[in-house]
Amino acid sequence: MSAATITVAWSPGPRQVHEWSVQLPQGATVRDAVQASGLAAAFPALDWQAADVGIWGRRAAWEQVVRDGDRVEIYRGLLVDPKVARRERFRK
């Protein structure tokens, strides 16, 4: 069985992106990738298990199997509803 190279990405704020590259065995899940990345040690205040995740911009489940070359993304919650923000910009 060969290993898969996975990139884990987290953006704590605008224009800030942290990426980790991890080697995982075939059959590893999104949760395995995030745990192997060291994200929890780098951001101890982050409750990453409650966050939404995706692979290449598409929502994924924590138990979804990752493939070689996948980019796992941890999403932060929205502060403002995008529709409301767009209306406010239009009014200005």
Side-chain angles (χ1 to χ4, degrees):
M1 231 184 222
S2 62
T5 301
I6 309 298
T7 300
V8 177
W10 159 248
S11 175
R15 294 180 286 285
Q16 301 174 22
V17 178
H18 298 274
E19 292 185 352
W20 298 267
S21 183
V22 295
Q23 295 283 325
L24 298 171
Q26 294 292 336
T29 64
V30 169
R31 184 179 311 279
D32 296 333
V34 174
Q35 287 174 332
S37 71
L39 172 74
F43 296 94
L46 173 64
D47 183 12
W48 61 270
Q49 296 182 56
D52 289 328
V53 291
I55 297 176
W56 289 112
R58 299 188 135 209
R59 180 168 265 171
W62 282 103
E63 300 309 318
Q64 184 171 331
V65 174
V66 292
R67 297 182 302 184
D68 188 41
D70 277 350
R71 175 186 165 98
V72 173
E73 302 159 342
I74 298 97
Y75 303 125
R76 62 181 190 269
L78 295 175
L79 299 176
V80 178
D81 181 354
K83 291 180 183 178
V84 172
R86 187 170 38 253
R87 284 188 206 117
E88 292 298 319
R89 284 194 306 272
F90 181 74
R91 284 186 194 150
K92 292 179 182 177

